[in-house]
Amino acid sequence: ALEYINMNEYFKRGYKSDDAEDDYEIPDKFIPSIAMVSFTGRATQMIKKNFPRDWHGNIMTIHRLLAFVPEYYDDIDEDGETKRKMRFVPTYTADCKLPWDVIVIDEAGMLGLELWHQLWAACKPGTRIYMIGDINQLPPVHGKSIFGFALAKWPSFELTHIHRQEGKENPIVDNAWRVIRGEMPVSGGAFQMIELKGDAQFAS
């Protein structure tokens, strides 16, 4: 059975996000322990568009889920002087487990290994994790993605029907499949291949 989470007590150390795209309102009630997360605030906003407002408290970035907070520490520079520095660290760790029973990770291809290890370490025993993503999309900004490893180890399901660009002989869909197969795209209709010289100003 799912537990319920009191979000008024969730951010124990006064976490506040500076990301305008990661807007969040603390609900006045307990919410089911199902979290829907993504790497970017923009992606979480897209998830919220598909859910009623009562569920928006369950949707956040992975950094917010782990409640990253600033931590100050002393570091010694090249001249041997001690300097005060700041870094962000997760509130929820292997020693302070997350309360969620289910975590759904959207755009999982953007989840890098370092952040994944932090998330995995913070999960309580029995937490169920579902990853949704496209292995053919862009990898994380830093490091390798966990998504490929998950596809190799976990049960997976592939959606092959295109819903976003419906219609027969759609040049964008057809060319996307050509690229996946290692073939050259073909110009036609809404998709045009334009040859550019090797000059950045000309290309812009």
Side-chain angles (χ1 to χ4, degrees):
L2 286 174
E3 294 182 4
Y4 282 79
I5 297 172
N6 182 355
M7 294 305 288
N8 287 306
E9 297 178 359
Y10 187 78
F11 299 113
K12 299 173 183 176
R13 289 163 62 183
Y15 170 89
K16 289 183 181 178
S17 174
D18 292 329
D19 189 346
E21 293 175 343
D22 187 22
D23 71 317
Y24 180 75
E25 295 178 14
I26 296 177
D28 295 329
K29 57 187 177 182
F30 287 77
I31 62 174
S33 58
I34 302 173
M36 289 167 276
V37 301
S38 190
F39 180 73
T40 66
R42 188 177 294 269
T44 62
Q45 295 308 307
M46 294 302 295
I47 301 172
K48 287 179 182 179
K49 287 182 180 179
N50 293 289
F51 280 85
R53 192 158 186 81
D54 285 351
W55 278 90
H56 286 195
N58 299 66
I59 303 166
M60 63 192 89
T61 62
I62 299 170
H63 287 88
R64 171 162 272 161
L65 184 84
L66 292 170
F68 270 73
V69 291
E71 176 184 80
Y72 295 91
Y73 66 101
D74 292 327
D75 189 36
I76 300 174
D77 63 16
E78 297 173 356
D79 300 325
E81 294 183 13
T82 302
K83 291 200 172 180
R84 192 83 165 151
K85 291 188 175 181
M86 184 189 77
R87 61 190 168 201
F88 285 90
V89 296
T91 299
Y92 290 95
T93 64
D95 298 320
C96 179
K97 297 289 188 180
L98 289 162
W100 305 98
D101 290 313
V102 178
I103 299 173
V104 180
I105 304 171
D106 192 27
E107 301 283 4
M110 297 184 70
L111 176 55
L113 291 177
E114 182 179 357
L115 186 57
W116 162 252
H117 287 307
Q118 290 174 318
L119 176 61
W120 180 253
C123 287
K124 66 181 182 180
T127 302
R128 284 173 285 166
I129 296 178
Y130 298 90
M131 291 187 178
I132 302 169
D134 185 345
I135 196 65
N136 297 301
Q137 285 185 338
L138 293 173
V141 178
H142 301 290
K144 293 184 178 180
S145 169
I146 186 61
F147 193 44
F149 296 98
L151 285 172
K153 293 286 185 180
W154 294 359
S156 62
F157 303 89
E158 182 181 8
L159 302 179
T160 56
H161 180 78
I162 306 297
H163 293 276
R164 187 170 292 174
Q165 293 96 2
E166 291 281 3
K168 272 191 171 183
E169 299 179 359
N170 186 313
I172 297 172
V173 174
D174 294 341
N175 280 312
W177 283 115
R178 288 189 183 99
V179 171
I180 289 172
R181 292 193 300 264
E183 302 169 5
M184 276 294 292
V186 177
S187 288
F191 187 97
Q192 294 294 324
M193 296 284 288
I194 301 171
E195 185 176 351
L196 298 176
K197 300 173 182 176
D199 180 78
Q201 189 172 0
F202 178 80
S204 66

